[in-house]
């Protein structure tokens, strides 16, 4: 199934991709597409983390959602989705809501890369801290709600972000904790009208953010 991938990057680099383990925290609009990019690129060992069930409001933007699986665990549905693409993929499911008290549940597992696709500020901060401590490469998605233009997404160090309230909080955490390491993030400079209540969203920006996260990891694997 990976003949065309091997034709593009060569068998040695493809084998390197298959040897790595990636963890994805959050299987929503960003995380579901990040998993898609990883699995179709040849990642054969993946850890998926989410506590939530599929809701009808997820149908407009989350890859694995449809009318038949509303109410089911996202990790279970994602596992089936992955197996239908690559039955030999090794999948570890962690069905918990990560917080600062249980985050070691994830870091008991061994992995090479982490995609942070969650929306909890404190968890994002803890993931950065633990990845630095454990020498795990991380890329984090910043805010993708209230955005319409995926072409305004880019990958950069967290310190170079702007026009993103979520990224502003992470920048403060980085500064306050005197973190010197490069922290790659996907973020958008796009500014839209203010809103009240639930964050509005369409599929395009979260989907592309997830694919950019997975692309960043695949390129890092084959270029190192």
């Amino acid at each position: 199934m990976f003949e065309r991938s091997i034709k593009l990057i060569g068998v040695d680099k493809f084998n390197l991709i298959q040897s790595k383990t990636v963890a994805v925290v959050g299987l929503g609009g960003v995380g579901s597409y990040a998993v898609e990019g990883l699995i179709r690129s040849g990642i054969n060992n993946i850890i998926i983390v989410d506590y939530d069930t599929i809701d009808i409001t997820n149908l407009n933007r989350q890859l694995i959602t449809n009318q038949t699986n509303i109410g089911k665990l996202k990790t279970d549905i994602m596992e089936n989705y992955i197996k239908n693409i690559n039955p030999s993929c090794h999948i570890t499911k962690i069905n918990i809501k990560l917080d600062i008290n249980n985050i070691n549940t994830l870091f008991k597992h061994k992995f090479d890369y982490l995609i942070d696709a969650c929306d909890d500020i404190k968890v994002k901060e803890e993931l950065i801290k633990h990845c630095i401590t454990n020498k795990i490469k991380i890329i984090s998605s910043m805010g993708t709600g209230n955005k319409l233009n995926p072409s305004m997404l880019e990958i950069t160090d967290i310190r170079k972000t702007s026009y993103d309230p979520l990224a502003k909080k992470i920048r403060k955490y980085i500064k306050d904790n005197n973190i010197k390491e490069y922290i790659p993030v996907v973020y958008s400079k796009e500014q839209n009208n203010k809103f009240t209540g639930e964050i509005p969203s369409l599929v395009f920006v979260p989907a592309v953010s997830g694919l950019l996260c997975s692309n960043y990891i695949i390129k890092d694997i084959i270029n190192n």
Side-chain angles (χ1 to χ4, degrees), residues 189-209:
K189 289 182 180 179
E190 181 182 359
Q191 300 180 71
N192 283 326
N193 295 328
K194 293 184 179 180
F195 60 89
T196 58
E198 290 184 328
I199 299 174
S201 183
L202 280 174
V203 65
F204 309 108
V205 175
V208 173
S209 179

Side-chain angles (χ1 to χ4, degrees), residues 145-188:
N146 200 29
K147 311 282 187 181
L148 286 169
N149 187 354
S151 69
M152 295 189 73
L153 287 164
E154 64 179 70
I155 298 176
T156 190
D157 182 76
I158 183 62
R159 299 163 186 84
K160 296 181 179 180
T161 57
S162 57
Y163 305 112
D164 185 322
L166 191 158
K168 182 179 180 180
K169 294 178 181 179
I170 302 298
R171 288 200 307 271
K172 184 177 186 304
Y173 172 80
I174 295 296
K175 181 179 180 181
D176 290 349
N177 288 272
N178 197 32
I179 293 173
K180 304 298 184 183
E181 286 82 359
Y182 174 72
I183 308 296
V185 299
V186 180
Y187 93 107
S188 170

Side-chain angles (χ1 to χ4, degrees), residues 24 26-28 31-36 39 46 48 54 63-64 69 73-85 91 93:
V24 180
L27 299 176
S32 58
Y33 281 90
V35 173
E36 173 96 349
I39 298 305
I46 191 164
I48 52 176
I54 293 170
L63 180 67
I64 56 175
N69 57 29
L73 281 170
K74 290 181 180 179
T75 49
D76 289 344
I77 299 302
M78 181 57 81
E79 179 183 37
N80 291 335
Y81 187 86
I82 292 169
K83 288 295 186 180
N84 281 327
I85 297 170
I91 305 165
K93 296 185 297 180

Side-chain angles (χ1 to χ4, degrees), residues 44-153:
N44 206 42
N45 303 281
I46 191 164
I47 301 168
I48 52 176
V49 186
D50 204 304
Y51 72 98
D52 208 359
T53 57
I54 293 170
D55 185 81
I56 194 168
T57 60
N58 303 148
L59 294 177
N60 77 321
R61 68 197 184 281
Q62 297 183 13
L63 180 67
I64 56 175
T65 62
N66 59 58
Q67 293 287 346
T68 69
N69 57 29
I70 293 171
K72 297 181 180 179
L73 281 170
K74 290 181 180 179
T75 49
D76 289 344
I77 299 302
M78 181 57 81
E79 179 183 37
N80 291 335
Y81 187 86
I82 292 169
K83 288 295 186 180
N84 281 327
I85 297 170
N86 181 8
S88 68
C89 186
H90 303 285
I91 305 165
T92 300
K93 296 185 297 180
I94 301 179
N95 303 314
I96 62 172
K97 181 176 174 59
L98 284 185
D99 59 37
I100 61 174
N101 297 312
N102 65 16
I103 202 162
N104 282 329
T105 304
L106 169 61
F107 287 92
K108 288 177 183 177
H109 299 272
K110 184 178 180 180
F111 50 95
D112 305 288
Y113 292 88
L114 185 143
I115 293 177
D116 160 29
C118 75
D119 54 10
D120 185 302
I121 299 293
K122 291 298 181 184
V123 173
K124 285 178 146 356
E125 294 170 352
E126 287 294 310
L127 290 173
I128 290 171
K129 182 178 75 174
H130 278 71
C131 282
I132 290 172
T133 300
N134 293 282
K135 301 187 184 307
I136 297 167
K137 294 186 176 181
I138 181 174
I139 183 165
S140 181
S141 175
M142 298 291 101
T144 61
N146 200 29
K147 311 282 187 181
L148 286 169
N149 187 354
S151 69
M152 295 189 73
L153 287 164

